[in-house]
Amino acid sequence: MKPSIYGLTRAQLSEWVSKQGEKPFRAEQIWDWLYRKRVQSFDAMTNLPQHFTDLLAEQFCINPLQQRIVQESADGTVKYLFELPDGMLIETVMMRQHYGLSVCVTTQVGCNIGCTFCASGLIKKQRDLTSGEIAAQVMLVQKYFDEKGQNERVSHVVVMGIGEPFDNYDNVLNFLRIINDDRGLAIGARHITVSTSGLAHKIRDFANEGVQVNLAVSLHAPNNELRSSIMRINRSFPLEKLFEAIAYYIDTTNRRVTFEYIMLNRVNDWPENAQELADLTKKIRKLSYVNLIPYNAVSEHDQYSRSPKERVDAFYDVLKKNGVNCVVRQEHGADIDAACGQLRSNTMKRDQAQLTRKA
Ligand code: SAH
Ligand code: SF4
């Protein structure tokens, strides 16, 4: 299978072009066709000589994904199920926010972290996505909107779909550089958020990359005992190690960190937990935010349910009293298979034979 040209950064594309003995400006032309004009074939790159478009087509494909299902929600959320060249399925979500169109991308087929509340972790990681397969998700969502003809641009990207991005570090980093490139999609670094379950050593590496994108950490519990019981990763990277890495990240980048905290009824939503969370984040009070996230029920994890409003309010009040910057995150796409990994797992259940050749 040919790799997708979407997987190359502009620097890598330039290098490839010069290796072919072509002039450097050819790389800029290709880049412009891919990300500004957004053509779907090399033949359409009409200012390139035929021998060169033939060479490109011989070595690369443009779009490696096939769109299988699109679900549109009443609130404007669109969920896409894409098939990879090897028949595996991934999902991508577009959320319409007041500030623009935000795309949530998948980075792996399945996830090995195995958090006990998550639909994605039900399927062990089958493989990492290539940077081309990650970038193609954004490109296909953009194409979907290009075809609507309303001149809408994907303005934000969150790396919060299926998979642990820091377990596919190099491809995710390449992807970030590709979508951030100011001559391409030009999605501003501050409009991009990467979410990690807390691979502390990778948080340190990420701090050293010099990318200005936002970092979110899935915390979900304010003490080691509770966190280890719902997130296995905490046994390898307990809170002390995680917070040392976060402190390093903040010191190195001068950027704030967002903590994600799913509200699980009667599991992690007690007022004492809110106080522990406030204490845990005290040292980085001004440099962190907490997002309280409504839990999307997953049928395989029926031990968990969503915290009712009174419990969320009580939790929020304790955080606020302690001066924690926090918000309760809005839900999107409640009427479609909304939770992380759900469209994929529900589709697989409904239509296993037809849709998954390899899962
Ligand atoms: N693996 C990364 C990024 C993907 S998950 C991570 O864990 O951070 C993105 C976010 O969705 C995480 O905060 C994750 O905990 C959360 N999540 C997973 N399952 C969920 C569910 N059923 N309802 C609400 N949020 C969920
Ligand atoms: Fe993987 Fe994130 Fe789901 Fe945990 S929450 S299983 S890390 S995708």
Side-chain angles (χ1 to χ4, degrees):
M1 191 59 212
K2 287 180 272 191
S4 165
I5 196 163
Y6 288 146
L8 301 186
T9 61
R10 189 149 52 89
Q12 290 166 338
L13 180 62
S14 299
E15 200 182 309
W16 181 84
V17 165
S18 72
K19 271 202 192 125
Q20 313 311 310
E22 293 286 338
K23 298 255 163 35
F25 72 90
R26 293 290 182 212
E28 302 298 324
Q29 288 176 317
I30 298 169
W31 196 258
D32 189 64
W33 283 112
L34 290 174
Y35 297 106
R36 290 289 163 98
K37 303 193 179 78
R38 298 194 278 278
V39 296
Q40 294 294 310
S41 82
F42 293 111
D43 283 345
M45 301 182 174
T46 47
N47 56 2
L48 302 183
Q50 171 97 42
H51 77 268
F52 193 44
T53 53
D54 288 349
L55 181 66
L56 281 162
E58 220 177 272
Q59 304 232 350
F60 299 105
C61 71
I62 295 186
N63 165 34
L65 305 178
Q66 286 198 53
Q67 190 172 295
R68 284 285 171 242
I69 296 180
V70 181
Q71 289 182 343
E72 276 204 49
S73 157
D75 67 8
T77 304
V78 188
K79 196 145 184 170
Y80 306 82
L81 190 77
F82 294 123
E83 188 177 325
L84 301 168
D86 53 8
M88 298 201 198
L89 297 172
I90 56 163
E91 63 185 54
T92 306
V93 183
M94 191 294 303
M95 292 154 292
R96 195 175 276 285
Q97 309 278 15
H98 64 273
Y99 47 74
L101 302 184
S102 174
V103 173
C104 174
V105 295
T106 284
T107 54
Q108 298 179 317
V109 184
C111 181
N112 276 345
I113 308 292
C115 305
T116 55
F117 46 78
C118 174
S120 306
L122 288 169
I123 306 136
K124 273 213 157 300
K125 180 176 96 172
Q126 321 227 339
R127 70 171 173 89
D128 290 328
L129 295 199
T130 62
S131 27
E133 289 166 339
I134 309 172
Q137 296 170 55
V138 179
M139 295 308 293
L140 285 192
V141 173
Q142 183 59 61
K143 176 166 167 265
Y144 182 84
F145 284 91
D146 287 346
E147 284 168 0
K148 287 191 173 201
Q150 289 161 354
N151 209 13
E152 286 187 290
R153 296 283 319 282
V154 171
S155 57
H156 290 67
V157 168
V158 293
V159 185
M160 292 192 185
I162 302 171
E164 167 49 53
F166 285 174
D167 181 40
N168 184 13
Y169 188 85
D170 292 343
N171 289 339
V172 168
L173 249 287
N174 245 20
F175 160 72
L176 298 176
R177 297 204 159 100
I178 292 160
I179 60 169
N180 178 230
D181 192 293
D182 58 4
R183 293 200 207 154
L185 288 179
I187 298 175
R190 284 171 174 72
H191 289 186
I192 302 173
T193 302
V194 176
S195 172
T196 178
S197 57
L199 278 68
H201 57 306
K202 294 293 183 186
I203 293 177
R204 287 171 187 269
D205 290 348
F206 196 59
N208 295 331
E209 295 289 350
V211 289
Q212 295 292 310
V213 311
N214 306 306
L215 178 67
V217 176
S218 294
L219 195 58
H220 306 325
N223 62 61
N224 279 323
E225 193 188 349
L226 184 54
R227 193 161 189 269
S228 293
S229 75
I230 61 176
M231 298 178 75
R232 234 179 23 211
I233 186 85
N234 196 67
R235 297 176 202 162
S236 316
F237 302 106
L239 290 172
E240 299 72 26
K241 285 225 164 70
L242 178 59
F243 275 77
E244 275 169 25
I246 291 169
Y248 177 80
Y249 174 87
I250 291 175
D251 274 357
T252 313
T253 63
N254 259 324
R255 309 220 10 101
R256 296 179 187 214
V257 166
T258 301
F259 292 108
E260 293 160 281
Y261 198 100
I262 304 180
M263 299 296 287
L264 299 167
N265 189 28
R266 305 179 76 81
V267 174
N268 64 355
D269 66 347
W270 303 93
E272 302 87 274
N273 296 144
Q275 188 58 51
E276 285 175 295
L277 177 57
D279 296 342
L280 184 65
T281 52
K282 193 166 181 181
K283 277 202 199 131
I284 48 170
R285 178 72 71 241
K286 296 246 156 8
L287 295 162
S288 59
Y289 299 97
V290 172
N291 269 349
L292 300 179
I293 304 170
Y295 180 59
N296 284 309
V298 175
S299 55
E300 289 82 354
H301 300 314
D302 59 4
Q303 71 273 38
Y304 298 122
S305 61
R306 178 179 292 196
S307 302
K309 186 174 181 307
E310 319 77 80
R311 292 181 73 85
V312 177
D313 289 348
F315 197 93
Y316 178 87
D317 286 347
V318 174
L319 292 181
K320 277 284 162 195
K321 273 199 197 96
N322 283 273
V324 176
N325 299 310
C326 75
V327 290
V328 180
R329 191 192 280 167
Q330 283 272 313
E331 204 184 357
H332 292 275
D335 56 337
I336 54 181
D337 290 311
C340 200
Q342 270 189 348
L343 176 60
R344 176 177 190 271
S345 73
N346 288 347
T347 305
M348 282 169 59
K349 274 183 255 161
R350 279 194 293 263
D351 212 348
Q352 203 129 23
Q354 194 193 344
L355 281 169
T356 57
R357 267 173 249 146
K358 254 200 169 166

